[in-house]
Structures are given as C-alpha cells and as structure tokens.
Amino acid sequence: MEHVFLEILAEEAQKGNKPSNTFKTVSIKRVVEAISERFQVQCDAKHVENHLRTVKNQWQIICKIRGESGFGWDDNMKMITCVRATYDAAAMVIYVYIC
C-alpha cells in the first residue's frame, strides 16, 4: 500500500500538482481512488493526508540521522547504515534521553 501511495504522489509532483509543500486536491483524490480500488479498503482523503504527515515526519528523522557523523545511506536497500559502535553510541544517547 505504501509503495502505491508514494508512487502516485511522486507522479503527481512531477506533473506539477504539488505547487508548494502540499499536494493539490486532485492528487489526493487519485491516491484515494487507487488505494480503495486496488486493495478493496475504505480510504478517504483524511487517511491519505494523515499518512502523508507521517511520511514527512519519518523522512525528517531519516534526514537528521543521515546528517550525523558515522551514518550513511544504502541506496539499493533504501536504509541508513552505520558500524555497530556508532549504532550502540546513538542508542545509548537515546536511552539516556528518554530515561
């Protein structure tokens, strides 16, 4: 479902249906129709808009982590990479922060 969502929005952005930081209503409707039809689920514009906010938040986190020293990006697997020591140090910082 996520792949269809992102694929359609990427196409809509290329068409110019994303004039600023949000998509035009026609783009959101296209996603709603495609997901509803392909996956036989009840989908509406609010679902798409909420998921778009989630994706944007996740992407901001990914960009922040990628900008930190010791982290990289595997473009084939579309994931953040690092050595174990870097991961352990980052996990410890997060653990101390939340505790």
Side-chain angles (χ1 to χ4, degrees):
M1 206 177 294
E2 178 93 8
H3 182 74
V4 172
F5 171 85
L6 293 173
E7 188 175 274
I8 292 171
L9 290 180
E11 290 171 6
E12 291 297 310
Q14 288 176 342
K15 290 180 188 176
N17 288 332
K18 186 179 183 274
S20 59
N21 63 346
T22 188
F23 285 89
K24 291 182 178 180
T25 304
V26 67
S27 301
I28 300 298
K29 284 183 179 181
R30 184 167 171 230
V31 174
V32 167
E33 291 168 1
I35 288 176
S36 295
E37 181 180 315
R38 183 162 179 189
F39 298 101
Q40 300 299 306
V41 296
Q42 189 92 19
C43 181
D44 63 33
K46 287 291 181 196
H47 294 132
V48 173
E49 291 165 355
N50 286 338
H51 191 65
L52 185 56
R53 273 193 295 279
T54 299
V55 168
K56 285 180 180 181
N57 288 337
Q58 290 171 341
W59 184 247
Q60 287 175 346
I61 292 168
I62 289 168
C63 288
K64 183 176 180 178
I65 292 171
R66 284 178 62 188
E68 296 291 321
S69 178
F71 290 92
W73 181 256
D74 184 328
D75 202 38
N76 290 327
M77 296 185 68
K78 306 294 187 219
M79 63 186 287
I80 294 171
T81 60
C82 67
V83 296
R84 183 66 190 205
T86 302
Y87 174 83
D88 290 343
M92 184 57 71
V93 169
I94 293 169
Y95 176 78
V96 169
Y97 177 76
I98 62 173
C99 292

